[in-house]
Amino acid sequence: MAAPGKVAAFRLPPLPTIGEIIKLFRLKALKQLSQNFLLDLRLTDKIVKQAGELKNAHVCEVGPGPGGITRSILSAGVEQLLLIEKDARFIPGLQMLSEAAPGKVRIVHGDILTYKMEKAFPKHLKKNWEDEPPDIHIIGNLPFSVSTPLIIKWLENVSKRDGPFTYGRTQMTLTFQKEVGERLTANPGSSQRSRLSIMAQHLCTVENCFIIPGQAFVPKPEVDVAVVHFTPLVQPKIQQPFALVEKLVQSVFQFRRKYCFRGIETLFPENGRLKRTEQLMMTANVDPTLRPFQLSMSQFRNLCNVYRKMCDEDPSLFVFNYREELRQKKTKGSLLGGTGQPEQTEEENQL
């Protein structure tokens, strides 16, 4: 019996174990969907704990699968849990969990990459961007094949304050391959510093919470898994449109082992390339002989700000595509019976 004045904590009734659910519904992880089940409820509890205080919160779980993390979320006392699952084989097992927590669970059979998150939660939960994060959380043990495109999509949503971020600075707790987790949190000078590092860190506080060894999953993946927590920043560190930041950052990291000016060059057409590259780097006050992974966030901010001014002065710059220019040169070389420039093959391989 609950103590006077206290609400009894929610507890799931006795249920089959996750292993028994897998046997009961004859579930098998599909390699082509890069599925790996996490059966240890101590680990699923640990993941959910990283999300913060979930009592009476609204949570969206991405790809719940057989429902290990789902149980831990429900045990945390959430108000509502939205489950988005693409694989129909898992729905009956999730419905069993829904029946064990009446009125708390909503199951959507669909693809998170296309699901409209801006209508997923009640309107009264919305907060101003400058306020504390809303009582909404996204949690998921993501399939490796989906994790990178999904976090890039959500980072764009953060930048535009749409999708799940129409409600404010919604927090996310997600799993990635250990290497991807290291890239997301890498500091300047780290060998793991990459496009992902800049795109994530300029929009969010990103924390690599802990590592789950591969053997904890069924089937065992070839890599360990990182649990990463994201909290959108009130002010992004680079205040430019997402597409512009992504284009510049992607260009810089195209030749990550070369000097950074080599990637910057690919922002400009061949006619005037050297002059414009020098102009961008001098105005942004960035040493052209630094490697891409050595550049700080403030240097990327300067580069983006100057590049934006150049694009405003010449709108054709932003739509310029270096790969397309290479392809056209190669086609022209073939038509003329030539071999093209010797460096082209190397560049195309790196791109």
Side-chain angles (χ1 to χ4, degrees):
M1 196 171 161
K6 287 189 177 180
V7 179
F10 174 80
R11 285 192 180 177
L12 284 168
L15 288 164
T17 66
I18 299 299
E20 287 166 347
I21 291 281
I22 289 169
K23 285 179 184 173
L24 180 65
F25 294 104
R26 295 178 180 177
L27 302 173
K28 187 181 178 184
L30 298 179
K31 194 172 182 180
Q32 64 266 36
L33 296 179
S34 59
Q35 291 173 340
N36 302 95
F37 304 148
L38 189 55
L39 309 187
D40 188 336
L41 291 183
R42 289 170 302 179
L43 283 172
T44 59
D45 284 348
K46 194 175 177 183
I47 291 171
V48 170
K49 196 175 179 183
Q50 297 302 322
E53 178 55 61
L54 294 186
K55 191 164 179 60
N56 300 324
H58 288 246
V59 176
C60 171
E61 187 189 352
V62 183
I69 294 177
T70 314
R71 295 185 186 208
S72 296
I73 295 171
L74 287 169
S75 297
V78 297
E79 178 75 20
Q80 286 285 322
L81 174 56
L82 168 64
L83 303 176
I84 301 175
E85 178 54 65
K86 186 178 180 180
D87 192 333
R89 298 174 305 143
F90 297 119
I91 302 297
L94 296 172
Q95 283 172 337
M96 183 185 287
L97 272 176
S98 176
E99 288 161 13
K104 283 187 176 285
V105 180
R106 183 157 59 99
I107 302 168
V108 172
H109 176 213
D111 187 343
I112 188 62
L113 286 167
T114 55
Y115 183 72
K116 302 292 183 189
M117 290 282 281
E118 57 270 19
K119 295 180 181 177
F121 305 104
K123 288 181 181 177
H124 73 265
L125 295 172
K126 284 189 178 183
K127 288 202 173 183
N128 293 324
W129 195 260
E130 297 73 24
D131 295 341
E132 287 297 303
D135 224 359
I136 296 171
H137 300 261
I138 298 172
I139 300 174
N141 173 28
L142 304 178
F144 295 155
S145 60
V146 171
S147 60
T148 302
L150 184 56
I151 195 58
I152 288 292
K153 177 181 185 287
W154 276 339
L155 289 170
E156 183 169 8
N157 289 146
V158 171
S159 176
K160 295 176 178 177
R161 302 182 185 182
D162 61 12
F165 307 98
T166 50
Y167 299 89
R169 295 185 296 122
T170 300
Q171 297 177 79
M172 303 181 284
T173 308
L174 307 167
T175 63
F176 299 88
Q177 290 182 55
K178 182 185 174 187
E179 187 180 305
V180 177
E182 288 170 348
R183 286 179 193 163
L184 284 163
T185 55
N187 293 318
S190 163
S191 61
Q192 295 287 0
R193 186 82 160 170
S194 67
R195 171 183 73 123
L196 267 182
S197 317
I198 310 303
M199 298 311 296
Q201 292 171 34
H202 103 85
L203 289 162
C204 298
T205 299
V206 192
E207 182 189 356
N208 199 334
C209 304
F210 65 96
I211 303 297
I212 304 174
Q215 61 258 33
F217 294 85
V218 177
K220 179 190 168 188
E222 294 176 5
V223 294
D224 293 338
V225 172
V227 177
V228 184
H229 184 76
F230 302 81
T231 306
L233 295 165
V234 174
Q235 287 290 347
K237 291 178 182 172
I238 303 172
Q239 296 192 32
Q240 294 295 349
F242 184 87
L244 183 139
V245 178
E246 187 175 39
K247 184 179 182 185
L248 184 135
V249 172
Q250 220 163 12
S251 297
V252 171
F253 280 101
Q254 276 181 129
F255 303 103
R256 61 175 294 112
R257 290 186 296 274
K258 296 189 177 182
Y259 294 142
C260 63
F261 82 85
R262 188 65 197 86
I264 293 287
E265 283 184 324
T266 66
L267 291 167
F268 304 110
E270 189 172 31
N271 184 18
R273 176 170 291 152
L274 184 61
K275 185 180 176 184
R276 281 172 150 173
T277 302
E278 286 177 353
Q279 179 191 346
L280 172 54
M281 304 216 71
M282 283 180 68
T283 312
N285 194 26
V286 173
D287 181 348
T289 63
L290 288 173
R291 310 286 178 182
F293 59 86
Q294 294 175 307
L295 296 182
S296 67
M297 188 64 75
S298 61
Q299 287 172 316
F300 272 107
R301 179 175 63 242
N302 292 349
L303 287 167
C304 287
N305 290 345
V306 177
Y307 179 57
R308 170 69 185 270
K309 285 180 184 174
M310 295 173 83
C311 289
D312 287 346
E313 290 165 9
D314 179 1
S316 69
L317 265 189
F318 186 68
V319 294
F320 168 70
N321 187 315
Y322 181 68
R323 296 177 193 219
E324 182 61 23
E325 184 186 75
L326 271 183
R327 191 186 65 78
Q328 288 178 5
K329 280 174 69 179
K330 192 174 179 182
T331 305
K332 190 176 178 183
S334 300
L335 290 171
L336 294 171
T339 56
Q341 292 185 6
E343 201 181 3
Q344 279 185 41
T345 307
E346 182 201 348
E347 287 182 357
E348 286 178 318
N349 285 340
Q350 292 197 51
L351 288 167

